[in-house]
Amino acid sequence: MRIGELARRGGTTTRALRYYESLGLLTARRTANGQREYDEHDLRLVAEIRSLTGIGFALEDTRPFVECLRDGHTSGDACPASVAVYRRKLAELDECIARLEGARERVRAQLDQAEQRSRPCRR
Amino acid sequence: MRIGELARRGGTTTRALRYYESLGLLTARRTANGQREYDEHDLRLVAEIRSLTGIGFALEDTRPFVECLRDGHTSGDACPASVAVYRRKLAELDECIARLEGARERVRAQLDQAEQRSRPCRR
DNA sequence: CTCCGCCTTGACGCCCACGTCAAGTCCAGT
DNA sequence: ACTGGACTTGACGTGGGCGTCAAGGCGGAG
């Protein structure tokens, strides 16, 4: 399978796939005329990458998962490095959510205050 | 007061202040030799901008507040446009938080699953 | 005079995950 | 032979909020 088909089947674009390759996340054999040649295993890698970035992972964060799959594991998160990324991401998400909730509260307080000032008659 | 002092007192940098000016958020009189000259009212504007961006507002979102202050209101959120931004931001925050919580749940589920696979003996 | 610190404008760099364009190669179909 | 589609590499653009450097001006202290 060539890059176009992999992109379609992986739900992404050829540009993204070449970018992943430039990061070393994906590698490709070449045909005689220089075109990239992929197989089902590569599709699995792409699926893993897309799945993780879909959750909000940075591309670099998908690296352990990809390497884990390349090491022959059937699941990208079968390796400790991947699990560590899960934990780190979880902590990041918790912190980010807390920050946003704090911001939300501040905005709400400001909004309430502003509305009270603009409509003092309603008590 | 010149730009350096305004930056110090406003808790930011001269670069940022010039940037705000390039966006039209801040304006400055000039002294005879071309230097920017500010007063306490400008400091108030900077404080408003920093306060809002500190919560997570984009600079463009602070514009109504700044204009509101420039219109003579004692509070940047005394104008309907500012309140509208509050509402919009609140909705954005809610959506963002919901997204992150969804992501968090997915990561947690993945993590739990991965841990269960790696330590099946603990049941 | 020199030096220091503050100021000026202009312009490029950064981060990230690609989009988009350019210019060319290669192959299959008609 | 020609056309269309898929492929190649290279390089610049995007967005946001500035950081950082370049190259120079201006005023006061010593």
Side-chain angles (χ1 to χ4, degrees):
Chain A
M1 141 176 57
R2 286 174 302 170
I3 197 168
E5 187 180 346
L6 181 61
R8 263 193 315 281
R9 293 223 274 157
T12 181
T13 66
T14 61
R15 179 66 182 94
L17 295 181
R18 290 195 190 97
Y19 182 57
Y20 299 160
E21 184 175 323
S22 80
L23 296 180
L25 287 175
L26 213 56
T27 55
R29 290 165 301 291
R30 297 300 184 116
T31 64
N33 61 13
Q35 296 189 306
R36 290 169 178 82
E37 180 73 17
Y38 300 98
D39 58 21
E40 298 298 319
H41 188 64
D42 294 313
L43 177 58
R44 178 75 179 82
L45 297 187
V46 172
E48 186 83 8
I49 294 171
R50 300 303 292 179
S51 164
L52 291 171
T53 58
I55 305 182
F57 280 43
L59 282 177
E60 276 310 316
D61 290 335
T62 73
R63 193 178 297 276
F65 295 81
V66 171
E67 287 177 353
C68 192
L69 283 174
R70 268 206 285 245
D71 282 350
H73 296 273
T74 52
S75 178
D77 54 18
C79 305
S82 307
V83 176
V85 174
Y86 276 154
R87 290 188 201 286
R88 187 166 50 73
K89 267 294 161 186
L90 210 51
E92 281 178 28
L93 283 169
D94 282 343
E95 190 196 328
C96 191
I97 289 169
R99 250 187 338 101
L100 289 183
E101 281 177 345
R104 199 194 108 97
E105 276 323 294
R106 282 192 293 278
V107 173
R108 248 183 83 68
Q110 292 291 103
L111 178 56
D112 288 351
Q113 218 177 351
E115 285 186 334
Q116 223 165 14
R117 272 198 308 274
S118 69
R119 297 183 292 203
C121 47
R122 295 196 185 180
R123 230 174 333 134
Chain B
M1 140 178 54
R2 287 173 300 171
I3 198 169
E5 188 181 344
L6 182 60
R8 263 193 316 279
R9 292 223 276 155
T12 180
T13 66
T14 62
R15 179 67 182 94
L17 295 180
R18 281 191 266 261
Y19 182 56
Y20 299 160
E21 183 175 323
S22 81
L23 296 180
L25 287 176
L26 213 55
T27 56
R29 293 166 300 292
R30 298 299 184 116
T31 64
N33 61 14
Q35 294 187 195
R36 291 170 178 82
E37 181 73 16
Y38 302 97
D39 58 21
E40 299 299 319
H41 188 63
D42 295 313
L43 178 58
R44 177 74 178 83
L45 297 187
V46 173
E48 186 82 9
I49 295 172
R50 300 302 292 179
S51 163
L52 291 171
T53 58
I55 306 181
F57 280 42
L59 282 177
E60 276 310 316
D61 290 335
T62 72
R63 194 178 296 276
F65 295 81
V66 172
E67 287 177 353
C68 193
L69 284 175
R70 269 207 284 244
D71 283 349
H73 297 273
T74 53
S75 179
D77 53 19
C79 305
S82 306
V83 176
V85 173
Y86 275 155
R87 289 188 201 287
R88 188 166 50 73
K89 265 296 161 184
L90 210 52
E92 281 178 29
L93 283 169
D94 282 344
E95 190 196 327
C96 191
I97 289 170
R99 251 188 336 103
L100 289 182
E101 281 178 344
R104 198 193 109 97
E105 276 322 293
R106 282 193 292 278
V107 173
R108 247 181 80 69
Q110 291 291 104
L111 178 56
D112 287 352
Q113 219 177 352
E115 285 187 331
Q116 222 164 18
R117 272 198 308 273
S118 68
R119 296 184 292 201
C121 46
R122 295 198 185 177
R123 230 167 335 134

